[in-house]
Amino acid sequence: MWGSPEGAIPAKSGYPAPAATPSPASAWALADNSAPEPVGSLQKRYKNLCMEKSRKINPFILHILQGVDEEIEKGLEGITLNIAGNNHLIPVERVTGEDFWILSKVLEKNPYINASICLCSLGLDVRYNFISDVGAYYAAKLLQKQYSLIYLNLMFNDIGPEGGELIAKVLHKNTTLKYLRMTGNKIENKGGMFFATMLQINSSLEKLDLGDCDLGMQSVIAFATVLTQNQTIKGINLNRPILYGKEEESTVHLGHMLKENQCLVELHMCKHDIRNGGLKHLCEALYLNKSLRYLDVSCNKITRDGMVFLADVLKSNTTLEVIDLSFNRIENTGAKYLSETLASHNRSLKALSVVSNNIKGEGLVALSQSLKINPTFSNIYIWGNKFDEATCVAYSDLFQMGHLKPENTDVEPFVVDGHVYLAEVSNGLKKHYYWTPTYGAFYHSANAGFNLVQVGQHL
């Protein structure tokens, strides 16, 4: 039996557990035996619960629930509660563990959600708040009780190893959640091991994001081992683990996993300290792998020599569609290796990011030529390299001839005194990874990686 928030689960960052939180036994009994009565709206249910539990109403939550009620009245069949704490357009009182307790009671087994509108999918986005391990306790209870919840975003919420353990364990039995984001919560190696164990049991989760979670070598290797057998996970983010040593052990194990796994579509290995030898291991696996479509090896130590292996595997690999090489050092020579393959052999790659790779005009022009020849290659991201006039003219010509659309790159040409220059625009492979637009249309093409390779509903 899990401990109560004010007992076994420590409060984090000065946000204590609710003073009147019931004991574990009574809490579970309450969830099991007192399903909410049907009410007119989520907003009304939230107000009533705050009064009943003597809790302060969070105006931000109230505002969001009002909008959801309006969407429900329109008969929409898929609703996401976007309670992100980084919304600066309206007054935001960030959600604490205490607030999340009330919110979870509003949502769990709510007839207004499950019966009145026949909702086929429910998403909950509470990124950038202060729910801590206390909120993780109630997130776990919500996953046990709310059978419409398919998307849960808990990124950057000060959840530690104990909270990670609670969520991982409840997913042993959960059969509805498809996409979980734990990004930026320091669950560390201990929490990572619980999630790796969970993937041995869970058969419904399709995408798991554990980027920036301070995973250790042990948990990364555990994920690589489990994914040789798991046939459900289609996307996993293991960005920025805490690794020691220079032997690229994590890359070797993940390369071995790719040889065995024929289900994984999206793999993120940003900041894994990958060098040319590690990339060689990955490329050897990609000769055999027939499922991976999105490979992210950004922010590593790959140089031009590593592009020999990647260019060669792209001659025969017909599944890779998006490659993120941002913030490496492939230089002109590496860019030429890639451009030659894309021009003459490969017809599956759609998007390539070489942002900040110390590439000069010659290499950038070579990549522009492959865009003219290859009808599939449509997205390229080059900002942060060393532009000369030939580069600016080459990419301006791509726009004029229709080989490159403005929304498919991160540069835009402009003319001053008869000379062409390139300016940066905010398009990118992962433009909306950490945030989503708070107003206006959300153009998925600006988020090219997740748009071209879709894993699940909420990308």
Side-chain angles (χ1 to χ4, degrees):
M1 180 67 69
W2 299 338
S4 65
E6 63 270 42
I9 308 177
K12 298 293 183 76
S13 298
Y15 291 88
T21 302
S23 66
S26 61
W28 286 110
L30 179 65
D32 290 334
N33 300 324
S34 58
E37 293 296 325
V39 293
S41 68
L42 295 176
Q43 184 184 18
K44 182 178 178 182
R45 173 64 177 161
Y46 175 67
K47 288 181 178 179
N48 290 344
L49 273 172
C50 286
M51 293 178 61
E52 179 185 333
K53 305 296 183 182
S54 300
R55 300 298 172 194
K56 177 179 176 292
I57 291 177
N58 185 316
F60 182 42
I61 295 178
L62 195 65
H63 172 80
I64 297 299
L65 292 180
Q66 180 181 2
V68 172
D69 284 335
E70 293 171 359
E71 291 186 24
I72 290 175
E73 290 178 2
K74 297 176 184 177
L76 300 182
E77 295 186 345
I79 301 294
T80 296
L81 278 72
N82 184 0
I83 314 179
N86 60 340
N87 187 332
H88 299 293
L89 295 181
I90 59 175
V92 171
E93 183 178 325
R94 295 194 177 187
V95 178
T96 66
E98 181 176 304
D99 293 324
F100 197 84
W101 172 40
I102 302 297
L103 181 62
S104 68
K105 300 300 293 181
V106 172
L107 297 178
E108 66 182 32
K109 282 189 174 180
N110 192 311
Y112 186 50
I113 293 177
N114 293 339
S116 300
I117 61 173
C118 300
L119 193 67
C120 57
S121 65
L122 173 66
L124 178 58
D125 185 343
V126 288
R127 71 180 84 185
Y128 295 105
N129 285 294
F130 299 126
I131 72 170
S132 70
D133 285 345
V134 175
Y137 172 84
Y138 292 106
K141 290 177 63 177
L142 182 62
L143 285 168
Q144 188 180 56
K145 300 300 180 183
Q146 176 48 258
Y147 304 126
S148 298
L149 188 64
I150 67 167
Y151 168 60
L152 179 59
N153 189 338
L154 297 171
M155 69 186 293
F156 291 99
N157 261 290
D158 199 26
I159 297 172
E162 292 82 4
E165 177 184 352
L166 293 174
I167 293 171
K169 284 185 174 180
V170 82
L171 289 176
H172 288 193
K173 295 183 179 181
N174 180 280
T175 59
T176 55
L177 192 71
K178 301 296 183 185
Y179 184 11
L180 174 64
R181 295 195 67 182
M182 292 290 293
T183 322
N185 293 297
K186 308 309 180 185
I187 64 172
E188 303 176 353
N189 194 68
K190 177 183 176 182
M193 291 301 294
F194 283 110
F195 276 98
T197 301
M198 175 272 295
L199 291 184
Q200 292 181 299
I201 302 168
N202 183 285
S203 59
S204 59
L205 194 67
E206 295 182 4
K207 188 168 182 179
L208 176 62
D209 191 335
L210 295 176
D212 300 297
C213 285
D214 288 2
L215 302 178
M217 179 69 78
Q218 182 186 15
S219 55
V220 172
I221 293 174
F223 280 111
T225 304
V226 168
L227 289 174
T228 59
Q229 302 295 325
N230 184 293
Q231 296 300 309
T232 307
I233 288 288
K234 294 181 174 62
I236 190 163
N237 187 327
L238 300 174
N239 286 350
R240 213 219 67 182
I242 305 299
L243 304 177
Y244 300 96
K246 305 297 183 182
E247 297 180 0
E248 301 184 83
E249 191 175 355
S250 66
T251 308
V252 171
H253 282 273
L254 288 168
H256 175 71
M257 177 273 294
L258 287 175
K259 293 180 180 179
E260 304 292 329
N261 185 293
Q262 298 300 322
C263 179
L264 195 67
V265 172
E266 181 183 332
L267 175 62
H268 295 268
M269 297 177 63
C270 175
K271 300 181 182 177
H272 269 246
D273 202 25
I274 300 173
R275 294 172 170 79
N276 294 330
L279 185 64
K280 182 181 179 181
H281 283 291
L282 292 177
C283 289
E284 288 172 351
L286 292 173
Y287 284 108
L288 302 175
N289 184 281
K290 302 301 179 186
S291 65
L292 194 70
R293 295 167 56 198
Y294 189 163
L295 176 63
D296 177 5
V297 287
S298 59
C299 302
N300 284 293
K301 297 179 180 178
I302 301 167
T303 69
R304 59 186 182 181
D305 295 334
M307 292 303 97
V308 175
F309 310 121
L310 184 58
D312 192 58
V313 76
L314 285 175
K315 293 177 181 178
S316 58
N317 183 288
T318 58
T319 54
L320 272 174
E321 296 181 7
V322 179
I323 298 178
D324 192 347
L325 287 166
S326 305
F327 302 99
N328 284 284
R329 197 177 178 86
I330 70 171
E331 302 180 315
N332 277 353
T333 304
K336 288 180 181 179
Y337 288 141
L338 292 176
S339 64
E340 289 169 5
T341 296
L342 292 172
S344 59
H345 295 86
N346 185 279
R347 290 296 182 269
S348 62
L349 194 72
K350 297 178 181 178
L352 173 68
S353 177
V354 290
V355 169
S356 296
N357 263 273
N358 198 38
I359 307 172
K360 299 179 182 178
E362 191 178 353
L364 295 169
V365 171
L367 287 170
S368 74
Q369 295 301 315
S370 61
L371 278 162
K372 293 180 181 179
I373 299 170
N374 190 325
T376 309
F377 187 30
S378 60
N379 296 59
I380 189 166
Y381 305 92
I382 62 172
W383 186 257
N385 293 293
K386 299 179 179 180
F387 302 159
D388 58 10
E389 188 167 3
T391 300
C392 299
V393 170
Y395 283 85
S396 178
D397 289 345
L398 289 176
F399 284 108
Q400 292 179 8
M401 293 185 289
H403 294 300
L404 184 59
K405 296 181 179 179
E407 65 268 23
N408 291 348
T409 186
D410 58 351
V411 294
E412 181 179 42
F414 66 98
V415 179
V416 176
D417 295 334
H419 294 280
V420 180
Y421 299 91
L422 295 177
E424 182 186 23
V425 292
S426 57
N427 295 356
L429 277 177
K430 293 180 289 188
K431 177 183 176 185
H432 297 136
Y433 176 70
Y434 290 105
W435 61 281
T436 54
T438 48
Y439 66 96
F442 178 18
Y443 295 106
H444 282 285
S445 59
N447 201 17
F450 298 151
N451 181 55
L452 293 171
V453 178
Q454 295 191 16
V455 178
Q457 178 179 349
H458 297 270
L459 289 179

